């Protein structure tokens, strides 16, 4: 279950509504200094998060699989309301 006052909630909401995010962006916006572990937890719950290395950089871009947005929104609703 995802609680609405957690970083996991804010991160998955960002991925579903705003799109991809990097660790640096997550740190600035959501005060998450460990996006990778949050993404791992969200993947364990069942979210279809794609991890892509950014060419020429030492970091990753995290995004919801565009073909599975609606499935992930439904999972988000179920997880939020338990």
């Amino acid at each position: 279950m995802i609680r609405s006052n957690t970083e996991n909630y804010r991160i998955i909401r960002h991925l579903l509504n705003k799109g991809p995010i990097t660790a640096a962006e997550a740190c600035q916006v959501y005060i998450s200094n460990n996006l990778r572990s949050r993404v791992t937890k969200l993947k364990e719950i069942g979210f279809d998060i794609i991890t892509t290395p950014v060419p020429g950089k030492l970091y990753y871009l995290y995004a919801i699989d565009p073909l599975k947005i609606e499935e992930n929104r439904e999972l988000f609703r179920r997880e939020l309301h338990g």
Side-chain angles (χ1 to χ4, degrees), residues 34-52:
N34 198 346
L35 181 60
R36 186 175 70 190
S37 69
R38 303 244 178 244
V39 166
T40 299
K41 178 64 177 170
L42 292 167
K43 285 181 177 182
E44 288 171 2
I45 292 170
F47 290 100
D48 296 300
I49 301 173
I50 299 168
T51 304
T52 308

